[in-house]
């Protein structure tokens, strides 16, 4: 019964026709990280996430579109050192 409660299904609505999406993107990453170093700044950024989900879509109407980002257990580490040996990102 619990699974039936959480099951999401499209139910038809009388008199409403849902627009057909032109573009849909679904991206799901597990245990991922991003090492970002902006060129003009002496800064190093490490972003980690246990789970990252990105869903976006667009339809015929340019005013309607959606972007959904879900991050589970995310962390951001900043460091002023950009070269050399290993970094202590916990500090």
């Amino acid at each position: 019964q619990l699974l039936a409660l959480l099951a999401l299904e499209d139910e038809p609505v009388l008199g409403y026709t849902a627009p057909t999406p032109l573009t849909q993107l679904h991206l799901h990453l597990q245990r991922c990280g991003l090492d970002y170093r902006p060129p003009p700044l002496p800064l190093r950024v490490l972003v980690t996430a246990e789970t990252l989900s990105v869903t976006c879509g667009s339809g015929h109407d340019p005013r309607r579109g959606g972007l959904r980002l879900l991050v589970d257990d995310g962390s951001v580490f900043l460091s002023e050192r950009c070269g050399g040996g290993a970094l202590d990102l916990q500090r």
Side-chain angles (χ1 to χ4, degrees), residues 5-82:
L5 175 69
L6 296 176
L8 299 176
E9 297 179 6
D10 290 336
E11 295 292 330
V13 177
L14 294 177
Y16 175 74
T17 304
T20 304
L22 292 178
T23 304
Q24 285 188 342
L25 170 70
H26 303 281
L27 176 67
H28 184 75
L29 302 172
Q30 289 184 333
R31 296 187 184 112
C32 57
L34 171 69
D35 185 5
Y36 176 62
R37 300 175 194 180
L41 300 174
L43 184 69
R44 182 175 182 174
V45 181
L46 177 65
V47 179
T48 62
E50 183 66 26
T51 303
L52 171 66
S53 296
V54 177
T55 302
C56 66
S58 64
H60 291 288
D61 187 2
R63 294 172 291 167
R64 295 191 59 168
L67 174 65
R68 184 177 71 171
L69 297 171
L70 299 174
V71 178
D72 181 31
D73 193 18
S75 301
V76 176
F77 300 99
L78 299 173
S79 175
E80 295 177 356
R81 296 181 58 195
C82 289

